[in-house]
Amino acid sequence: MALWLAKGLLAQVSTADSFYRNAPMVNYDFVEPAEYTIKNILVTEVNGKPVLKSQVVFYSGLSIGEKIKVPGREISKAIENLWKQEYFSDIQVYFQPTDDGQVVVQFRVQEQPRLNGHRFLGLTNSQQKTLKEEVGLHKNMYITPNLINISKERVVKYYQNKGFYNVQVDVKRLQAYKRDAKDSLIVMPGYENFDFVIDKGAKVKVRRFVFYGNSDLSDDDLRASIKKIKGKEGKWQFWTKSKYIESEFDEERQHIIDKYLSKGYRDARIIRDSVVLISADRIEVHIRLFEGHQYRYRNITWKGNLKFRNGTLDTILGIKRGDLFNQSLLRERLFENPGGFDVQTLYMDDGYLFFNMMPVEVGVMNDSIDMEIRISEGTRATIGNVRWSGNTKTSDRVIQREIRTKPGDVFSKSDIQRTMRDLGALGLFDPEHLGVNPKPNPEDGSVDIDYTVAEKPSDQIELSGGWGGNGFSRTPTLIGTAGIMLNNFSRKKLFHTDQWSPVPTGDGQKLSLRAQSNGANYQGYTFSFTEPWFGGKKPNSLSLSIFHTVNSFDFKQKTDPTRQVFMNTGFTVMYGARLKWPDDFFNMQYGFSFNQYRMKNMDGGFYGFPKGFNGISYNPSFQLNLTRSSVSDPTYPTSGSSFTFQVQATPPISLLSNKNYSEMSLNDKYKWAEFHKWKLDAEWYTPIYKKTVLMAKARMGFLGYYNKDLGLTFFERFQVGGAGIFGFNIAATEIISQRGYDNYTISNTAMGGQAGAPIFNKFTVELRQAITTGQAATVYVLGFAEAGDAWSSMSKYNPFQLKRSAGVGIRLFMPMFGLIGLDWAYGFDYKQVPSSGKPTQVHFFIGQQF
C-alpha cells in the first residue's frame, strides 16, 4: 500500500482491496511514472450507499480513453476538483491495471450529509417565511462548513439591517427522521435538520458621530452632511433614522467627503473610522479626517467648442475665477443640472447627441486650480424611427400626438424630457413605468427612439359620502354621491359594441355623469364631455357641461307651498388652445355659460334676497382662463407649478338699457344677473427628500358689479369655510374650503349672516410624504397650515388679518374611486367666527382636492 499527498489533500492508492485481489500490481515509479489509458471509471460509496456516478466523473475531469500517468498530476487534479465541490467528506482513489496495459480507476467517496429541513426558533410563521427567503436554503443541499457560515451571515445581515447590531446566531445540527407506513419515526441516513437559534439583542442606535482632525468644518456641518443616519443627541429628526446599518454608513462616508469637496477641499479623506459600543443599545461612530488645503478656481478655459462661443458656455457654467473648487457643482453645470440648464443639454438640444466633454485639471498652484474643459462636438444627429409599446388600451394616435420627437427632426434632449412629462400628464399611464431608450446609429448620424408606457386604471366609479362640520344650518352636512368618470373615453367606438372593453375607451376623451344628494335639502346632476384634441390636428380642447341643482334649506315637504326652493339649470361650453408664447406650458380657454335660476319663497333669510323677490333670473356670462401647468404628475406631483388666472363677466345690460333701475319691480330689476369676477390660483411643488414634497398654494377671488343701483349680485359669491363638499352648486355660489372651521362660516361672519362674500384670500402650505405611489393606489400623509378670510367690500379688505388653522391628514387615490381624504384640523381663530362652534374639525371627502 502506498500513500501520497496532492496539495495537502489525502488520497489512498491501493491494490489490497478485495476488488483487486489477484489482479496485477501497479508499478509506482515516482521518477518515471508509468503511462496508462483509462479503460473504465468506477464510483462507489464508502459505506456502501449508492452515489451518482456521472456527477463524480464529471467533476473529476477524467474520461475513458484518456491517457494518465500513475502517479501523476491528472489524478491529483481530479481529487482536487472533487474536494472543491464540497459534496464529499472522504475521497479515495484506486487503480486496477489490465492485461492490455490499460487501467480501471475507482473512486470511493463518502457524501456530505444533506439538509432535510430548517427552522428559526421563537419566530412567527410570517417571520420564518421572510427569513427562509433571505437565507435561501432548500432540501437536499449538501451540508458544508461554508454553507453553515453563509447561512449565519445572511441571518446576521438581515437583523443588522433592522438595527440589531449585536445579533447572535447559532445553528444546531440535528439528525433527521421521517415516519414510516406505521407512523413510527425512523432515521434518515445522511440527512440532518437545522435549528437556528437567534438572539437579536437590543436595537442599536447611533448616539452621535464624533469627528477628529476637522478644523475648518465644524462637527455640526459634518453631521448635517449625513443623509440617512442621524445621532440621537436631543434633536428630533423627521426624515432620518438613527439605527446603525453598515451598508448605509458606506454611503455616509462618501457624503462626508462630498461635503468637503463642495467647500474646495479636494484632498479631503477619511483616515479611519470605528464603531464604539457605549451601552447595550447605543453606539458612537468615531471618524478621523484629513482635510487638506482649500482650493479655488483660477482659470477655466474651453477647448474644442465650435458651435457655441466661450461667453455662452461661461454663462451656463456660472463658475468664475476665485470661486471655491466644487467638483459636484462643476459636474452639475456641465452634465446634469437638476435646477436648470447645463452645457450638455445646450448641445443635445441642438442635435449633438454624439457630443463628449471632459473637465481636466491642467495646473495646480498653491491653492489655485486651472481647469480645461475639452469638448468633442461630433455631428448633429437627426431622429430616425420613433416607436412606442405598452399601450394595450389607449389608441396609438393619443400617444403620437403627445410625442415631440418626430422622424427627421434634429435630436433634442429637452423634447424627450417634455414628451415623458406630457405622457405622464395624460393620467392614462403609470409615471413610474414610463421609459425611453434612444438608440444612436453613428454610421448615418441618426438616432432611433423607443418609448415604453404602462397602462394604469384611469376610469372612476364614485359611490361615496362625506361630511365636514355643521355649517350655517347648525345641522350635520352629509352628502352622498354616485357617478362615473371615464378619462379614456372613445366617442367613435360608442356605437361599435364589439370594441368596448367593457366601455368604449382608447381616445383620451373625458365623459362624466354625476349625481349628488343629501335628501330633500340638496340634489345635483351633472353631465360633462371633453375632447382634448378637437379636430384631431392641434391640441385645442372643446368641453361641454350641463347641470341642474335643487336646493332647499327649511326641510319642508315638497307638497308644502311655503317650502323654500332654489333651482339652477344651465350649461357651459369651453374652447381651449395650447399657446407657444411665453412657452407651451400655457393654455388659453374661452367659454360661454348660461344659467337659469328659479326661486320660490327665497326672499329674505340666509341668501339675502330682497323681500318679495321670487321668480326667474338669468346669468349669461363669458369666461377667459389663462393657465400654466408644469406639474410632474397629476396624482402625486413632486415638482413643477400650476397657475390659473380666470375672468368671468356678464354683459352690462343695465348700463346699456337706459332704464331707471331704482324704480323697477324686483322681478324685472334682477331678471338679468350682472357681475365681473376675477380669480387667481397658484400652486408650487418643491421636492424635499425623495418623495417628501412641500406644496404651497394661494387662492384669491374678487366679485364686482357695474351698476350701483343693482349692487352686488346674489349669485357667484364665495362661501369660505369647511370641507367644500358641494364644490360650486349651493345656490350658485362658489365653495372655498378652509379646514378647521365649519362650512361657510368664515364668509357668513364677514357678511353679517348672509351667504357668500365678494372677496376672499386663502393661503395653504402642505408637507406631504408618500407611502406608496403604485398603480393600484397612491397613499400619502400630510401636515398643513392654512390662513384665509372673506370680506364684504374693498374698504374692509385686510390680507394681513386672516383666520388660521393647522392639522394633519391622509390621502388615498384609487383609480376606480378617485381621491379619498381625511383631515383633522384646529382653527386658531374660531372665537372670531361665532357660528363655527368648536375649534377642532374633522373633514372627510371623496373626489376633490382642498
Coordinates of all heavy atoms in Angstrom, one line a residue, residues 359-430:
P359 N -13.8 67.5 -18.2 CA -13.0 68.6 -17.5 C -11.7 68.0 -17.0 O -11.7 66.9 -16.4 CB -14.0 68.9 -16.3 CG -14.8 67.7 -16.1 CD -14.9 67.0 -17.5
V360 N -10.6 68.7 -17.2 CA -9.3 68.2 -16.9 C -8.6 69.3 -16.1 O -8.6 70.5 -16.4 CB -8.5 67.9 -18.1 CG1 -7.1 67.4 -17.8 CG2 -9.2 66.9 -19.0
E361 N -8.0 68.9 -14.9 CA -7.1 69.8 -14.2 C -5.8 69.9 -14.9 O -5.0 68.9 -15.0 CB -6.9 69.3 -12.8 CG -8.2 69.3 -11.9 CD -7.9 68.9 -10.5 OE1 -6.7 68.8 -10.1 OE2 -8.8 68.5 -9.7
V362 N -5.4 71.1 -15.4 CA -4.2 71.3 -16.1 C -3.1 72.0 -15.3 O -2.0 72.1 -15.8 CB -4.4 72.0 -17.4 CG1 -5.3 71.2 -18.4 CG2 -5.1 73.4 -17.2
G363 N -3.5 72.5 -14.1 CA -2.5 73.1 -13.3 C -3.0 73.4 -11.9 O -4.1 73.7 -11.7
V364 N -2.0 73.2 -10.9 CA -2.3 73.4 -9.5 C -1.2 74.3 -9.0 O 0.0 73.9 -9.0 CB -2.5 72.1 -8.7 CG1 -2.7 72.5 -7.3 CG2 -3.6 71.2 -9.3
M365 N -1.5 75.5 -8.5 CA -0.5 76.4 -8.0 C -1.0 76.9 -6.6 O -2.0 77.6 -6.5 CB -0.3 77.6 -8.9 CG 0.7 78.6 -8.5 SD 2.4 77.9 -8.5 CE 2.6 77.7 -10.3
N366 N -0.3 76.4 -5.6 CA -0.6 76.7 -4.2 C -2.1 76.3 -4.0 O -2.4 75.1 -3.9 CB -0.4 78.2 -3.9 CG 1.1 78.6 -4.0 OD1 1.9 77.8 -3.7 ND2 1.4 79.8 -4.5
D367 N -3.0 77.3 -3.8 CA -4.4 76.9 -3.5 C -5.3 77.2 -4.7 O -6.5 77.3 -4.6 CB -4.9 77.7 -2.3 CG -4.9 79.2 -2.6 OD1 -4.3 79.7 -3.6 OD2 -5.5 80.0 -1.8
S368 N -4.7 77.3 -5.9 CA -5.5 77.6 -7.1 C -5.4 76.5 -8.1 O -4.3 75.8 -8.3 CB -5.0 78.9 -7.8 OG -5.1 80.0 -6.9
I369 N -6.5 76.3 -8.9 CA -6.6 75.2 -9.9 C -7.0 75.8 -11.2 O -7.9 76.6 -11.3 CB -7.6 74.1 -9.4 CG1 -7.1 73.5 -8.1 CG2 -7.8 73.1 -10.5 CD1 -8.1 72.5 -7.6
D370 N -6.3 75.4 -12.2 CA -6.6 75.7 -13.6 C -7.4 74.5 -14.2 O -6.9 73.4 -14.2 CB -5.4 76.0 -14.4 CG -4.7 77.3 -14.0 OD1 -5.4 78.1 -13.4 OD2 -3.5 77.4 -14.2
M371 N -8.5 74.8 -14.8 CA -9.3 73.8 -15.4 C -9.4 74.0 -16.9 O -9.5 75.1 -17.4 CB -10.8 73.8 -14.9 CG -10.9 73.4 -13.4 SD -10.5 71.7 -13.0 CE -11.6 70.9 -14.1
E372 N -9.3 72.9 -17.7 CA -9.6 73.0 -19.1 C -10.7 72.0 -19.5 O -10.6 70.8 -19.1 CB -8.3 72.6 -19.9 CG -8.4 72.7 -21.4 CD -7.2 72.4 -22.1 OE1 -6.9 71.2 -22.4 OE2 -6.4 73.3 -22.4
I373 N -11.7 72.5 -20.1 CA -12.9 71.7 -20.4 C -12.8 71.3 -21.9 O -13.0 72.2 -22.7 CB -14.2 72.4 -20.1 CG1 -14.2 72.8 -18.6 CG2 -15.4 71.5 -20.4 CD1 -15.4 73.6 -18.2
R374 N -12.5 70.1 -22.2 CA -12.3 69.6 -23.5 C -13.5 69.1 -24.1 O -14.2 68.2 -23.6 CB -11.1 68.6 -23.6 CG -9.8 69.2 -23.0 CD -8.8 68.1 -22.8 NE -7.6 68.7 -22.2 CZ -6.5 67.9 -21.8 NH1 -6.5 66.6 -21.9 NH2 -5.5 68.6 -21.3
I375 N -13.9 69.6 -25.3 CA -15.2 69.3 -25.9 C -14.9 68.6 -27.3 O -14.1 69.1 -28.1 CB -16.0 70.5 -26.1 CG1 -16.4 71.1 -24.7 CG2 -17.3 70.3 -26.9 CD1 -17.2 72.4 -24.8
S376 N -15.6 67.5 -27.5 CA -15.7 66.9 -28.9 C -17.2 67.0 -29.3 O -18.0 66.3 -28.8 CB -15.2 65.5 -28.8 OG -15.4 64.9 -30.1
E377 N -17.5 67.9 -30.2 CA -18.9 68.2 -30.5 C -19.5 67.1 -31.4 O -20.7 66.7 -31.2 CB -19.0 69.5 -31.3 CG -18.6 70.7 -30.4 CD -18.8 72.0 -31.1 OE1 -18.7 72.0 -32.4 OE2 -18.9 73.1 -30.4
G378 N -18.7 66.5 -32.3 CA -19.3 65.5 -33.1 C -20.3 66.1 -34.2 O -20.3 67.3 -34.4
T379 N -21.1 65.3 -34.8 CA -22.0 65.7 -35.8 C -23.4 65.8 -35.2 O -23.7 65.1 -34.2 CB -22.0 64.8 -37.0 OG1 -22.4 63.5 -36.6 CG2 -20.7 64.8 -37.7
R380 N -24.3 66.6 -35.8 CA -25.6 66.7 -35.3 C -26.4 65.5 -35.7 O -26.3 65.0 -36.9 CB -26.3 67.9 -36.0 CG -25.7 69.3 -35.5 CD -26.4 70.4 -36.2 NE -27.7 70.7 -35.6 CZ -28.5 71.6 -36.1 NH1 -28.3 72.2 -37.2 NH2 -29.6 71.9 -35.4
A381 N -27.2 65.0 -34.8 CA -28.0 63.7 -35.1 C -29.4 64.1 -35.4 O -30.0 65.0 -34.9 CB -27.9 62.8 -33.8
T382 N -30.0 63.4 -36.3 CA -31.4 63.5 -36.6 C -32.1 62.3 -36.1 O -31.5 61.2 -36.0 CB -31.6 63.7 -38.2 OG1 -31.0 62.5 -38.8 CG2 -30.9 64.9 -38.7
I383 N -33.4 62.4 -35.9 CA -34.2 61.4 -35.4 C -34.7 60.4 -36.5 O -35.2 60.9 -37.6 CB -35.5 61.9 -34.7 CG1 -35.0 62.8 -33.5 CG2 -36.4 60.8 -34.2 CD1 -36.1 63.5 -32.8
G384 N -34.4 59.1 -36.3 CA -34.8 58.1 -37.3 C -36.2 57.6 -37.0 O -37.2 58.3 -37.2
N385 N -36.3 56.4 -36.5 CA -37.5 55.8 -36.2 C -38.0 56.1 -34.8 O -37.1 56.2 -33.9 CB -37.5 54.3 -36.4 CG -37.2 53.8 -37.8 OD1 -37.7 54.4 -38.7 ND2 -36.3 52.9 -38.0
V386 N -39.3 56.4 -34.6 CA -39.8 56.6 -33.3 C -40.9 55.6 -33.0 O -41.8 55.5 -33.8 CB -40.4 58.0 -33.2 CG1 -41.0 58.2 -31.8 CG2 -39.4 59.1 -33.4
R387 N -40.7 54.8 -32.0 CA -41.6 53.7 -31.7 C -42.1 53.8 -30.3 O -41.4 54.4 -29.4 CB -41.0 52.3 -32.0 CG -40.5 52.1 -33.4 CD -39.8 50.8 -33.6 NE -38.5 50.9 -32.9 CZ -37.3 51.1 -33.6 NH1 -37.4 51.2 -34.9 NH2 -36.2 51.2 -33.0
W388 N -43.2 53.1 -30.0 CA -43.7 53.1 -28.6 C -44.4 51.7 -28.4 O -44.9 51.1 -29.4 CB -44.7 54.2 -28.3 CG -45.8 54.4 -29.2 CD1 -47.0 53.8 -29.2 CD2 -45.8 55.2 -30.4 NE1 -47.8 54.2 -30.3 CE2 -47.1 55.0 -31.0 CE3 -44.9 56.1 -31.0 CZ2 -47.4 55.7 -32.2 CZ3 -45.2 56.7 -32.2 CH2 -46.5 56.6 -32.7
S389 N -44.5 51.3 -27.2 CA -45.1 50.0 -26.9 C -45.7 50.1 -25.5 O -45.3 50.9 -24.7 CB -44.0 48.9 -26.9 OG -43.0 49.1 -26.0
G390 N -46.6 49.1 -25.2 CA -47.2 49.0 -23.9 C -48.6 49.6 -23.8 O -49.2 49.4 -22.8
N391 N -49.1 50.3 -24.8 CA -50.4 50.8 -24.8 C -51.4 49.7 -25.2 O -51.7 49.6 -26.4 CB -50.5 52.1 -25.7 CG -50.0 51.8 -27.1 OD1 -49.0 51.2 -27.3 ND2 -50.8 52.3 -28.1
T392 N -51.9 49.0 -24.3 CA -52.8 47.9 -24.5 C -54.3 48.4 -24.7 O -55.1 47.7 -25.3 CB -52.8 46.9 -23.4 OG1 -53.1 47.6 -22.2 CG2 -51.4 46.3 -23.3
K393 N -54.6 49.6 -24.2 CA -55.9 50.1 -24.3 C -56.0 51.4 -25.1 O -56.9 51.7 -25.8 CB -56.5 50.2 -22.9 CG -58.0 50.7 -22.9 CD -58.6 50.5 -21.5 CE -57.9 51.4 -20.5 NZ -58.6 51.4 -19.2
T394 N -55.0 52.3 -24.9 CA -55.0 53.6 -25.5 C -54.6 53.5 -26.9 O -53.6 52.8 -27.3 CB -54.1 54.5 -24.7 OG1 -54.5 54.6 -23.3 CG2 -54.1 55.9 -25.2
S395 N -55.3 54.3 -27.8 CA -55.0 54.3 -29.2 C -53.6 54.9 -29.5 O -53.1 55.8 -28.7 CB -56.1 55.1 -29.9 OG -57.4 54.6 -29.7
D396 N -53.0 54.4 -30.6 CA -51.7 54.9 -30.9 C -51.7 56.4 -31.2 O -50.7 57.1 -30.9 CB -51.2 54.2 -32.2 CG -50.7 52.8 -31.9 OD1 -50.4 52.5 -30.7 OD2 -50.6 52.0 -32.8
R397 N -52.8 57.0 -31.7 CA -52.8 58.4 -32.1 C -52.8 59.3 -30.8 O -52.3 60.4 -30.9 CB -54.0 58.7 -32.9 CG -55.4 58.5 -32.3 CD -56.5 58.9 -33.2 NE -57.8 58.6 -32.7 CZ -58.4 57.4 -32.9 NH1 -57.8 56.5 -33.6 NH2 -59.6 57.2 -32.4
V398 N -53.3 58.7 -29.7 CA -53.3 59.5 -28.5 C -51.8 59.7 -28.0 O -51.4 60.8 -27.5 CB -54.1 58.8 -27.3 CG1 -54.0 59.5 -26.0 CG2 -55.6 58.8 -27.7
I399 N -51.0 58.7 -28.2 CA -49.6 58.8 -27.8 C -48.8 59.6 -28.8 O -48.0 60.5 -28.5 CB -49.0 57.4 -27.7 CG1 -49.7 56.6 -26.5 CG2 -47.5 57.4 -27.4 CD1 -49.2 55.2 -26.4
Q400 N -49.1 59.3 -30.1 CA -48.4 60.0 -31.2 C -48.5 61.5 -31.1 O -47.6 62.2 -31.3 CB -48.9 59.5 -32.5 CG -48.2 60.1 -33.7 CD -48.7 59.5 -35.0 OE1 -49.7 58.8 -35.1 NE2 -48.1 59.8 -36.1
R401 N -49.7 62.0 -30.8 CA -49.9 63.5 -30.7 C -49.2 64.1 -29.6 O -49.0 65.4 -29.6 CB -51.4 63.8 -30.7 CG -52.2 63.4 -29.5 CD -53.6 63.4 -29.8 NE -54.4 63.1 -28.5 CZ -55.7 62.8 -28.6 NH1 -56.4 62.7 -29.7 NH2 -56.4 62.6 -27.4
E402 N -48.8 63.4 -28.6 CA -48.0 63.9 -27.4 C -46.5 63.8 -27.6 O -45.8 64.4 -26.9 CB -48.4 63.2 -26.1 CG -49.9 63.3 -25.8 CD -50.3 64.7 -25.5 OE1 -49.5 65.6 -25.1 OE2 -51.5 65.0 -25.6
I403 N -46.1 63.1 -28.6 CA -44.6 62.9 -28.8 C -44.1 64.0 -29.6 O -44.6 64.4 -30.7 CB -44.4 61.5 -29.6 CG1 -44.7 60.4 -28.6 CG2 -43.0 61.5 -30.1 CD1 -44.5 59.0 -29.2
R404 N -43.0 64.7 -29.1 CA -42.4 65.9 -29.7 C -41.2 65.5 -30.5 O -40.7 66.4 -31.2 CB -42.1 66.9 -28.6 CG -43.3 67.4 -27.9 CD -42.9 68.2 -26.7 NE -44.1 68.8 -26.0 CZ -44.5 70.0 -26.2 NH1 -43.9 70.9 -26.9 NH2 -45.6 70.4 -25.6
T405 N -40.7 64.3 -30.5 CA -39.6 63.9 -31.3 C -40.1 63.2 -32.5 O -40.5 62.0 -32.5 CB -38.7 62.9 -30.4 OG1 -39.6 61.8 -29.9 CG2 -38.1 63.6 -29.3
K406 N -40.1 63.9 -33.6 CA -40.6 63.5 -34.9 C -39.5 63.0 -35.8 O -38.4 63.6 -35.8 CB -41.4 64.6 -35.6 CG -42.4 65.3 -34.8 CD -43.6 64.4 -34.4 CE -44.7 65.1 -33.6 NZ -45.8 64.2 -33.2
P407 N -39.7 61.9 -36.6 CA -38.7 61.4 -37.5 C -38.3 62.6 -38.5 O -39.1 63.3 -39.0 CB -39.4 60.3 -38.3 CG -40.5 59.8 -37.3 CD -40.9 61.0 -36.6
G408 N -36.9 62.7 -38.6 CA -36.4 63.7 -39.4 C -36.0 65.0 -38.7 O -35.2 65.8 -39.2
D409 N -36.5 65.2 -37.5 CA -36.2 66.4 -36.7 C -34.8 66.2 -36.1 O -34.3 65.1 -36.0 CB -37.2 66.6 -35.6 CG -38.5 67.0 -36.0 OD1 -38.7 67.4 -37.2 OD2 -39.5 67.1 -35.2
V410 N -34.2 67.4 -35.8 CA -32.9 67.4 -35.1 C -33.1 66.8 -33.7 O -34.1 67.2 -33.0 CB -32.3 68.8 -35.1 CG1 -31.0 68.8 -34.2 CG2 -32.0 69.2 -36.5
F411 N -32.3 66.0 -33.2 CA -32.4 65.4 -31.9 C -32.4 66.5 -30.8 O -31.6 67.4 -30.9 CB -31.2 64.4 -31.6 CG -31.2 63.9 -30.2 CD1 -32.0 62.8 -29.9 CD2 -30.4 64.4 -29.3 CE1 -32.0 62.3 -28.6 CE2 -30.4 63.9 -28.0 CZ -31.1 62.8 -27.6
S412 N -33.2 66.3 -29.8 CA -33.3 67.3 -28.7 C -33.6 66.5 -27.4 O -34.6 65.9 -27.3 CB -34.4 68.3 -29.0 OG -34.6 69.1 -27.8
K413 N -32.7 66.7 -26.5 CA -32.9 66.1 -25.2 C -34.1 66.6 -24.4 O -34.9 65.9 -23.8 CB -31.6 66.3 -24.3 CG -31.7 65.8 -22.9 CD -30.4 66.1 -22.1 CE -30.5 65.7 -20.7 NZ -29.3 66.1 -19.9
S414 N -34.3 67.9 -24.5 CA -35.5 68.6 -23.9 C -36.8 68.1 -24.5 O -37.8 67.9 -23.7 CB -35.4 70.1 -24.0 OG -34.3 70.6 -23.3
D415 N -36.8 67.8 -25.8 CA -38.0 67.3 -26.4 C -38.4 65.9 -25.8 O -39.6 65.6 -25.6 CB -37.9 67.2 -27.9 CG -38.0 68.6 -28.5 OD1 -38.5 69.5 -27.9 OD2 -37.7 68.7 -29.7
I416 N -37.4 65.1 -25.6 CA -37.6 63.8 -25.0 C -38.2 63.9 -23.5 O -39.1 63.3 -23.2 CB -36.3 62.9 -25.0 CG1 -35.9 62.6 -26.4 CG2 -36.5 61.7 -24.1 CD1 -34.7 61.8 -26.5
Q417 N -37.5 64.8 -22.8 CA -38.0 65.0 -21.4 C -39.4 65.6 -21.4 O -40.2 65.2 -20.5 CB -37.0 66.0 -20.7 CG -35.7 65.4 -20.5 CD -34.7 66.4 -19.9 OE1 -34.8 67.6 -20.1 NE2 -33.6 66.0 -19.2
R418 N -39.7 66.5 -22.3 CA -41.1 67.0 -22.3 C -42.1 66.0 -22.8 O -43.2 66.0 -22.3 CB -41.1 68.2 -23.3 CG -42.5 68.9 -23.3 CD -42.9 69.5 -22.0 NE -44.3 69.9 -22.0 CZ -44.7 71.1 -22.4 NH1 -43.7 72.0 -22.8 NH2 -45.9 71.5 -22.5
T419 N -41.7 65.1 -23.7 CA -42.6 64.1 -24.1 C -42.9 63.1 -22.9 O -44.1 62.8 -22.7 CB -42.0 63.2 -25.2 OG1 -41.8 64.1 -26.4 CG2 -42.8 62.0 -25.6
M420 N -41.9 62.8 -22.1 CA -42.2 61.9 -21.0 C -43.1 62.6 -20.0 O -44.0 62.0 -19.4 CB -40.9 61.6 -20.3 CG -39.9 60.8 -21.2 SD -40.5 59.2 -21.6 CE -40.2 58.4 -20.0
R421 N -42.9 63.9 -19.8 CA -43.8 64.7 -18.9 C -45.2 64.7 -19.4 O -46.2 64.5 -18.7 CB -43.2 66.1 -18.7 CG -44.0 66.9 -17.7 CD -44.9 67.9 -18.5 NE -45.8 68.6 -17.6 CZ -46.9 69.2 -18.0 NH1 -47.3 69.2 -19.2 NH2 -47.7 69.8 -17.1
D422 N -45.4 65.0 -20.7 CA -46.7 65.1 -21.3 C -47.5 63.7 -21.3 O -48.7 63.7 -21.1 CB -46.7 65.6 -22.7 CG -46.3 67.1 -22.8 OD1 -46.3 67.7 -21.7 OD2 -45.9 67.6 -23.9
L423 N -46.7 62.6 -21.5 CA -47.4 61.3 -21.5 C -47.9 61.0 -20.0 O -48.9 60.5 -19.8 CB -46.4 60.2 -21.9 CG -46.1 60.2 -23.4 CD1 -45.0 59.2 -23.7 CD2 -47.3 59.9 -24.2
G424 N -47.1 61.4 -19.0 CA -47.5 61.2 -17.7 C -48.6 62.1 -17.3 O -49.5 61.7 -16.5
A425 N -48.7 63.3 -17.8 CA -49.8 64.2 -17.5 C -51.1 63.8 -18.1 O -52.2 64.3 -17.6 CB -49.4 65.6 -18.0
L426 N -51.1 62.9 -19.0 CA -52.4 62.4 -19.6 C -53.2 61.7 -18.5 O -54.5 61.7 -18.6 CB -52.2 61.5 -20.7 CG -51.7 62.0 -22.0 CD1 -51.3 60.9 -23.0 CD2 -52.7 63.0 -22.6
G427 N -52.6 61.2 -17.5 CA -53.3 60.4 -16.5 C -53.7 59.0 -16.9 O -54.4 58.4 -16.1
L428 N -53.2 58.6 -18.0 CA -53.6 57.3 -18.5 C -52.5 56.2 -18.3 O -52.8 55.0 -18.4 CB -53.9 57.3 -20.0 CG -54.9 58.4 -20.5 CD1 -55.0 58.4 -22.0 CD2 -56.2 58.2 -19.8
F429 N -51.3 56.7 -18.0 CA -50.1 55.8 -17.9 C -49.5 56.0 -16.5 O -49.5 57.1 -15.9 CB -49.1 56.0 -19.0 CG -49.7 56.0 -20.4 CD1 -49.7 57.1 -21.1 CD2 -50.2 54.8 -20.9 CE1 -50.3 57.1 -22.4 CE2 -50.8 54.8 -22.1 CZ -50.8 55.9 -22.9
D430 N -48.9 54.9 -16.0 CA -48.2 54.9 -14.7 C -46.8 55.7 -14.9 O -46.0 55.2 -15.6 CB -47.9 53.5 -14.3 CG -47.3 53.5 -12.9 OD1 -47.0 54.6 -12.3 OD2 -47.0 52.4 -12.4

